[in-house]
Amino acid sequence: MRPKKTILCVDNNEQALSVRTFLLETRGYRVIPALSSQHALEVVEQSVPGSIDLLLSDLIMPQMDGNELVRRAKQLHPGLPSMIVSGTVNAFDRAMHADVFLPKGASSAAEMIERIRVLVARKRGPKKAIHPTLTQKPEAHVYATAS
């Protein structure tokens, strides 16, 4: 069995955090919940690079918003994928440090899970190259020509 991917999930709303944690855990993820950006930053500081597979944060939080949290976390672990969610649909311009922004309510739980799956898969790096003749018929190859 493959090891579970770890998601640091941050939201100052306890109910939203517990719903998101439940959603992720039922999909097989290991979740580290944090009720504040400061707590989440401490988790990142104490973690070994690569041990957290995704930082999932709310945008609007007291003391330090999700964007600032992502910025600081990426200073500590530059390869850490991040996603910001916000109930303020037009707040995407405030989430510029995240890899993905999803508006709460405007996107389904299934869409969020799919985006998370893609971000976590991307973190693992590219898959090993497979020789094309093993996966395709020779006539399926497309050859580029220099112009």
Side-chain angles (χ1 to χ4, degrees):
M1 187 171 170
R2 292 190 347 217
K4 291 182 177 184
K5 296 297 178 182
T6 301
I7 298 174
L8 175 55
C9 191
V10 191
D11 199 317
N12 64 306
N13 180 319
E14 195 170 344
Q15 185 178 7
L17 181 62
S18 87
V19 167
R20 205 167 290 133
T21 297
F22 177 78
L23 176 71
L24 294 169
E25 286 177 343
T26 58
R27 300 307 191 283
Y29 293 102
R30 181 175 164 258
V31 179
I32 303 170
L35 278 167
S36 72
S37 294
Q38 192 55 46
H39 177 233
L41 200 55
E42 290 168 10
V43 170
V44 173
E45 287 171 346
Q46 296 167 8
S47 69
V48 175
S51 62
I52 298 173
D53 298 292
L54 177 69
L55 171 58
L56 173 61
S57 177
D58 187 24
L59 177 61
I60 310 296
M61 294 186 287
Q63 284 86 44
M64 182 191 325
D65 72 5
N67 193 52
E68 181 64 14
L69 168 62
V70 167
R71 188 187 69 75
R72 291 183 186 188
K74 285 184 177 270
Q75 285 178 333
L76 296 167
H77 299 288
L80 177 63
S82 62
M83 177 186 292
I84 288 181
V85 292
S86 178
T88 311
V89 176
N90 61 355
F92 68 91
D93 57 330
R94 292 184 48 195
M96 61 190 157
H97 290 290
D99 298 307
V100 172
F101 171 81
L102 276 183
K104 286 183 200 171
S107 57
S108 67
E111 182 180 357
M112 183 174 79
I113 293 295
E114 178 60 17
R115 295 279 186 103
I116 288 170
R117 188 191 65 74
V118 169
L119 278 172
V120 170
R122 191 180 311 151
K123 178 184 175 279
R124 286 195 308 254
K127 292 184 178 180
K128 292 180 181 172
I130 299 173
H131 195 275
T133 58
L134 299 176
T135 58
Q136 296 178 340
K137 294 179 183 175
E139 61 272 10
H141 291 289
V142 177
Y143 297 98
T145 57
S147 49

